[in-house]
CSV table of all heavy atoms in Angstrom, one decimal:
chain,number,residue,atom,x,y,z
A,1279,GLU,N,14.3,-33.6,-3.6
A,1279,GLU,CA,13.6,-34.1,-4.8
A,1279,GLU,C,14.4,-34.0,-6.1
A,1279,GLU,O,14.3,-34.8,-7.0
A,1279,GLU,CB,12.2,-33.5,-5.0
A,1279,GLU,CG,11.3,-33.8,-3.8
A,1279,GLU,CD,9.9,-33.1,-3.9
A,1279,GLU,OE1,9.8,-32.2,-4.7
A,1279,GLU,OE2,9.0,-33.5,-3.3
A,1280,ALA,N,15.2,-33.0,-6.2
A,1280,ALA,CA,16.1,-32.8,-7.4
A,1280,ALA,C,17.2,-33.8,-7.3
A,1280,ALA,O,17.7,-34.3,-8.4
A,1280,ALA,CB,16.6,-31.4,-7.4
A,1281,VAL,N,17.7,-34.2,-6.2
A,1281,VAL,CA,18.9,-35.0,-6.0
A,1281,VAL,C,18.5,-36.5,-5.9
A,1281,VAL,O,19.3,-37.4,-6.3
A,1281,VAL,CB,19.8,-34.6,-4.8
A,1281,VAL,CG1,20.9,-35.5,-4.6
A,1281,VAL,CG2,20.2,-33.2,-5.0
A,1282,ALA,N,17.4,-36.8,-5.3
A,1282,ALA,CA,17.0,-38.2,-5.0
A,1282,ALA,C,17.2,-39.1,-6.2
A,1282,ALA,O,17.0,-38.6,-7.3
A,1282,ALA,CB,15.6,-38.3,-4.5
A,1283,PRO,N,17.7,-40.3,-6.1
A,1283,PRO,CA,17.8,-41.1,-4.8
A,1283,PRO,C,19.1,-40.9,-4.0
A,1283,PRO,O,19.3,-41.5,-3.0
A,1283,PRO,CB,17.6,-42.5,-5.2
A,1283,PRO,CG,18.2,-42.6,-6.5
A,1283,PRO,CD,17.9,-41.3,-7.2
A,1284,GLN,N,20.0,-40.0,-4.5
A,1284,GLN,CA,21.2,-39.7,-3.7
A,1284,GLN,C,20.8,-38.9,-2.5
A,1284,GLN,O,19.8,-38.4,-2.4
A,1284,GLN,CB,22.1,-38.8,-4.6
A,1284,GLN,CG,22.6,-39.4,-5.9
A,1284,GLN,CD,23.3,-38.4,-6.7
A,1284,GLN,OE1,22.9,-37.9,-7.7
A,1284,GLN,NE2,24.5,-38.0,-6.2
A,1285,GLU,N,21.8,-38.9,-1.5
A,1285,GLU,CA,21.6,-38.0,-0.4
A,1285,GLU,C,21.8,-36.6,-0.8
A,1285,GLU,O,22.8,-36.3,-1.5
A,1285,GLU,CB,22.6,-38.4,0.7
A,1285,GLU,CG,22.4,-37.6,2.0
A,1285,GLU,CD,23.4,-38.0,3.1
A,1285,GLU,OE1,24.4,-38.6,2.8
A,1285,GLU,OE2,23.1,-37.6,4.2
A,1286,ALA,N,20.9,-35.7,-0.3
A,1286,ALA,CA,21.1,-34.3,-0.7
A,1286,ALA,C,22.2,-33.7,0.2
A,1286,ALA,O,22.2,-33.8,1.4
A,1286,ALA,CB,19.8,-33.6,-0.5
A,1287,LEU,N,23.1,-33.0,-0.4
A,1287,LEU,CA,24.1,-32.3,0.2
A,1287,LEU,C,23.9,-30.8,0.0
A,1287,LEU,O,23.9,-30.3,-1.1
A,1287,LEU,CB,25.5,-32.6,-0.3
A,1287,LEU,CG,25.9,-34.1,-0.2
A,1287,LEU,CD1,27.2,-34.4,-0.9
A,1287,LEU,CD2,25.9,-34.6,1.2
A,1288,ILE,N,23.6,-30.1,1.1
A,1288,ILE,CA,23.1,-28.7,1.0
A,1288,ILE,C,24.1,-27.8,1.8
A,1288,ILE,O,24.4,-28.1,2.9
A,1288,ILE,CB,21.7,-28.5,1.6
A,1288,ILE,CG1,20.7,-29.4,0.7
A,1288,ILE,CG2,21.3,-27.1,1.6
A,1288,ILE,CD1,19.4,-29.5,1.3
A,1289,GLN,N,24.5,-26.7,1.1
A,1289,GLN,CA,25.4,-25.8,1.8
A,1289,GLN,C,24.7,-24.5,2.0
A,1289,GLN,O,24.1,-23.9,1.1
A,1289,GLN,CB,26.7,-25.5,0.9
A,1289,GLN,CG,27.7,-24.6,1.5
A,1289,GLN,CD,29.0,-24.6,0.8
A,1289,GLN,OE1,29.5,-25.6,0.4
A,1289,GLN,NE2,29.6,-23.4,0.7
A,1290,ILE,N,24.8,-24.0,3.3
A,1290,ILE,CA,24.1,-22.8,3.7
A,1290,ILE,C,25.2,-21.8,4.1
A,1290,ILE,O,26.0,-22.1,5.0
A,1290,ILE,CB,23.2,-23.0,4.9
A,1290,ILE,CG1,22.0,-23.9,4.4
A,1290,ILE,CG2,22.6,-21.7,5.4
A,1290,ILE,CD1,21.1,-24.3,5.5
A,1291,THR,N,25.3,-20.7,3.4
A,1291,THR,CA,26.3,-19.7,3.7
A,1291,THR,C,25.7,-18.4,4.2
A,1291,THR,O,24.8,-17.8,3.6
A,1291,THR,CB,27.2,-19.4,2.4
A,1291,THR,OG1,27.7,-20.6,1.9
A,1291,THR,CG2,28.3,-18.4,2.8
A,1292,VAL,N,26.1,-17.9,5.4
A,1292,VAL,CA,25.5,-16.8,6.1
A,1292,VAL,C,26.5,-15.6,6.1
A,1292,VAL,O,27.7,-15.8,6.5
A,1292,VAL,CB,25.1,-17.1,7.5
A,1292,VAL,CG1,24.3,-16.0,8.1
A,1292,VAL,CG2,24.2,-18.4,7.5
A,1293,SER,N,26.1,-14.5,5.7
A,1293,SER,CA,26.9,-13.3,5.7
A,1293,SER,C,26.0,-12.0,5.9
A,1293,SER,O,24.8,-12.1,5.8
A,1293,SER,CB,27.8,-13.2,4.5
A,1293,SER,OG,26.9,-13.0,3.3
A,1294,SER,N,26.7,-10.9,6.2
A,1294,SER,CA,25.9,-9.7,6.2
A,1294,SER,C,26.9,-8.6,5.8
A,1294,SER,O,28.1,-8.7,5.8
A,1294,SER,CB,25.3,-9.4,7.6
A,1294,SER,OG,26.3,-9.2,8.6
A,1295,ASP,N,26.3,-7.4,5.5
A,1295,ASP,CA,27.1,-6.3,5.0
A,1295,ASP,C,27.1,-5.2,6.1
A,1295,ASP,O,26.0,-4.8,6.5
A,1295,ASP,CB,26.6,-5.8,3.7
A,1295,ASP,CG,27.4,-4.6,3.1
A,1295,ASP,OD1,28.2,-4.1,3.9
A,1295,ASP,OD2,27.2,-4.3,1.9
A,1296,ALA,N,28.2,-4.8,6.6
A,1296,ALA,CA,28.2,-3.8,7.7
A,1296,ALA,C,27.5,-2.5,7.2
A,1296,ALA,O,27.0,-1.7,8.1
A,1296,ALA,CB,29.6,-3.5,8.1
A,1297,GLU,N,27.5,-2.2,5.9
A,1297,GLU,CA,26.9,-1.0,5.5
A,1297,GLU,C,25.5,-1.1,5.1
A,1297,GLU,O,24.8,-0.2,4.7
A,1297,GLU,CB,27.7,-0.5,4.2
A,1297,GLU,CG,29.2,-0.2,4.6
A,1297,GLU,CD,29.9,0.4,3.3
A,1297,GLU,OE1,29.3,0.4,2.3
A,1297,GLU,OE2,31.1,0.7,3.5
A,1298,SER,N,24.9,-2.4,5.1
A,1298,SER,CA,23.5,-2.6,4.8
A,1298,SER,C,22.9,-3.4,5.9
A,1298,SER,O,23.4,-4.5,6.3
A,1298,SER,CB,23.5,-3.4,3.5
A,1298,SER,OG,22.1,-3.7,3.2
A,1299,PRO,N,21.7,-3.0,6.4
A,1299,PRO,CA,21.1,-3.7,7.5
A,1299,PRO,C,20.4,-4.9,7.1
A,1299,PRO,O,19.2,-5.1,7.2
A,1299,PRO,CB,20.1,-2.6,8.1
A,1299,PRO,CG,19.7,-1.8,6.9
A,1299,PRO,CD,21.0,-1.8,6.0
A,1300,GLN,N,21.1,-5.9,6.5
A,1300,GLN,CA,20.6,-7.1,6.0
A,1300,GLN,C,21.5,-8.3,6.3
A,1300,GLN,O,22.7,-8.2,6.3
A,1300,GLN,CB,20.3,-7.0,4.5
A,1300,GLN,CG,19.3,-6.0,4.0
A,1300,GLN,CD,19.2,-5.9,2.5
A,1300,GLN,OE1,20.1,-6.3,1.8
A,1300,GLN,NE2,18.0,-5.5,2.1
A,1301,CYS,N,20.9,-9.4,6.4
A,1301,CYS,CA,21.6,-10.7,6.5
A,1301,CYS,C,21.3,-11.5,5.3
A,1301,CYS,O,20.1,-11.7,4.9
A,1301,CYS,CB,21.2,-11.4,7.8
A,1301,CYS,SG,22.0,-13.1,8.0
A,1302,ARG,N,22.3,-12.0,4.7
A,1302,ARG,CA,22.2,-12.8,3.4
A,1302,ARG,C,22.5,-14.2,3.6
A,1302,ARG,O,23.6,-14.6,4.2
A,1302,ARG,CB,23.1,-12.2,2.3
A,1302,ARG,CG,23.1,-12.9,1.0
A,1302,ARG,CD,24.1,-12.3,0.0
A,1302,ARG,NE,24.2,-13.0,-1.2
A,1302,ARG,CZ,23.6,-12.8,-2.3
A,1302,ARG,NH1,22.8,-11.7,-2.3
A,1302,ARG,NH2,23.8,-13.5,-3.4
A,1303,ILE,N,21.6,-15.1,3.3
A,1303,ILE,CA,21.8,-16.6,3.4
A,1303,ILE,C,21.6,-17.2,2.1
A,1303,ILE,O,20.6,-17.2,1.5
A,1303,ILE,CB,20.8,-17.2,4.4
A,1303,ILE,CG1,20.8,-16.4,5.8
A,1303,ILE,CG2,21.0,-18.7,4.6
A,1303,ILE,CD1,19.7,-16.9,6.8
A,1304,THR,N,22.7,-17.8,1.6
A,1304,THR,CA,22.7,-18.5,0.3
A,1304,THR,C,22.6,-20.0,0.5
A,1304,THR,O,23.3,-20.6,1.3
A,1304,THR,CB,24.0,-18.2,-0.5
A,1304,THR,OG1,24.1,-16.8,-0.6
A,1304,THR,CG2,23.9,-18.8,-1.9
A,1305,VAL,N,21.7,-20.6,-0.3
A,1305,VAL,CA,21.4,-22.1,-0.1
A,1305,VAL,C,21.7,-22.7,-1.5
A,1305,VAL,O,21.1,-22.4,-2.5
A,1305,VAL,CB,19.9,-22.3,0.3
A,1305,VAL,CG1,19.7,-23.8,0.5
A,1305,VAL,CG2,19.6,-21.6,1.6
A,1306,THR,N,22.7,-23.6,-1.5
A,1306,THR,CA,23.0,-24.4,-2.7
A,1306,THR,C,23.0,-25.9,-2.4
A,1306,THR,O,23.0,-26.3,-1.3
A,1306,THR,CB,24.4,-24.0,-3.2
A,1306,THR,OG1,25.4,-24.2,-2.2
A,1306,THR,CG2,24.5,-22.5,-3.6
A,1307,ASP,N,22.9,-26.7,-3.5
A,1307,ASP,CA,22.9,-28.1,-3.3
A,1307,ASP,C,23.6,-28.8,-4.4
A,1307,ASP,O,24.2,-28.2,-5.3
A,1307,ASP,CB,21.4,-28.6,-3.2
A,1307,ASP,CG,20.7,-28.3,-4.5
A,1307,ASP,OD1,21.0,-28.9,-5.6
A,1307,ASP,OD2,19.7,-27.6,-4.5
A,1308,ASN,N,23.8,-30.2,-4.2
A,1308,ASN,CA,24.5,-30.9,-5.2
A,1308,ASN,C,23.7,-31.5,-6.3
A,1308,ASN,O,24.0,-32.5,-6.9
A,1308,ASN,CB,25.3,-32.1,-4.5
A,1308,ASN,CG,24.3,-33.0,-3.8
A,1308,ASN,OD1,23.2,-32.6,-3.3
A,1308,ASN,ND2,24.7,-34.3,-3.7
A,1309,GLY,N,22.5,-30.9,-6.5
A,1309,GLY,CA,21.6,-31.3,-7.6
A,1309,GLY,C,22.1,-30.8,-9.0
A,1309,GLY,O,23.2,-30.2,-9.1
A,1310,PRO,N,21.4,-31.1,-10.0
A,1310,PRO,CA,21.8,-30.8,-11.4
A,1310,PRO,C,21.6,-29.3,-11.7
A,1310,PRO,O,22.0,-28.8,-12.7
A,1310,PRO,CB,20.8,-31.6,-12.2
A,1310,PRO,CG,19.6,-31.8,-11.4
A,1310,PRO,CD,20.1,-31.9,-10.0
A,1311,GLY,N,21.0,-28.6,-10.8
A,1311,GLY,CA,20.7,-27.1,-11.1
A,1311,GLY,C,19.4,-26.9,-11.8
A,1311,GLY,O,18.8,-27.9,-12.4
A,1312,ILE,N,19.0,-25.7,-11.8
A,1312,ILE,CA,17.7,-25.4,-12.5
A,1312,ILE,C,18.0,-24.9,-13.9
A,1312,ILE,O,18.8,-24.0,-14.0
A,1312,ILE,CB,17.0,-24.3,-11.7
A,1312,ILE,CG1,16.6,-24.8,-10.3
A,1312,ILE,CG2,15.7,-23.9,-12.4
A,1312,ILE,CD1,16.0,-23.8,-9.3
A,1313,PRO,N,17.4,-25.5,-14.9
A,1313,PRO,CA,17.7,-25.1,-16.3
A,1313,PRO,C,17.4,-23.7,-16.5
A,1313,PRO,O,16.5,-23.1,-15.9
A,1313,PRO,CB,16.8,-26.0,-17.1
A,1313,PRO,CG,16.5,-27.2,-16.2
A,1313,PRO,CD,16.5,-26.7,-14.8
A,1314,PRO,N,18.2,-23.0,-17.4
A,1314,PRO,CA,18.0,-21.6,-17.7
A,1314,PRO,C,16.6,-21.2,-18.1
A,1314,PRO,O,16.0,-20.2,-17.7
A,1314,PRO,CB,19.0,-21.3,-18.8
A,1314,PRO,CG,20.0,-22.4,-18.6
A,1314,PRO,CD,19.3,-23.6,-18.1
A,1315,GLU,N,15.9,-22.1,-18.8
A,1315,GLU,CA,14.5,-21.8,-19.3
A,1315,GLU,C,13.5,-21.8,-18.2
A,1315,GLU,O,12.4,-21.2,-18.3
A,1315,GLU,CB,14.1,-22.7,-20.4
A,1315,GLU,CG,14.0,-24.2,-20.0
A,1315,GLU,CD,15.3,-25.0,-20.1
A,1315,GLU,OE1,16.3,-24.4,-20.2
A,1315,GLU,OE2,15.2,-26.2,-20.1
A,1316,ILE,N,13.8,-22.5,-17.1
A,1316,ILE,CA,12.9,-22.6,-16.0
A,1316,ILE,C,13.1,-21.5,-14.9
A,1316,ILE,O,12.2,-21.0,-14.2
A,1316,ILE,CB,13.0,-24.0,-15.3
A,1316,ILE,CG1,12.4,-25.0,-16.2
A,1316,ILE,CG2,12.3,-24.0,-13.9
A,1316,ILE,CD1,12.5,-26.4,-15.7
A,1317,ARG,N,14.3,-21.0,-14.8
A,1317,ARG,CA,14.7,-20.0,-13.8
A,1317,ARG,C,13.8,-18.8,-13.7
A,1317,ARG,O,13.4,-18.4,-12.6
A,1317,ARG,CB,16.1,-19.6,-14.0
A,1317,ARG,CG,17.1,-20.7,-13.7
A,1317,ARG,CD,18.5,-20.3,-14.1
A,1317,ARG,NE,19.1,-19.3,-13.2
A,1317,ARG,CZ,19.7,-19.6,-12.1
A,1317,ARG,NH1,19.9,-20.9,-11.8
A,1317,ARG,NH2,20.2,-18.7,-11.3
A,1318,PRO,N,13.4,-18.2,-14.8
A,1318,PRO,CA,12.5,-17.0,-14.7
A,1318,PRO,C,11.1,-17.3,-14.1
A,1318,PRO,O,10.4,-16.4,-13.7
A,1318,PRO,CB,12.4,-16.5,-16.1
A,1318,PRO,CG,13.6,-17.1,-16.8
A,1318,PRO,CD,13.8,-18.4,-16.2
Side-chain angles (χ1 to χ4, degrees):
E1279 292 179 345
V1281 175
Q1284 300 172 248
E1285 181 181 19
L1287 302 175
I1288 298 169
Q1289 182 167 319
I1290 297 173
T1291 303
V1292 187
S1293 63
S1294 65
D1295 185 344
E1297 298 181 359
S1298 176
Q1300 295 179 335
C1301 177
R1302 178 185 173 95
I1303 305 174
T1304 304
V1305 182
T1306 58
D1307 61 64
N1308 61 326
I1312 299 175
E1315 65 273 15
I1316 290 178
R1317 293 172 69 87

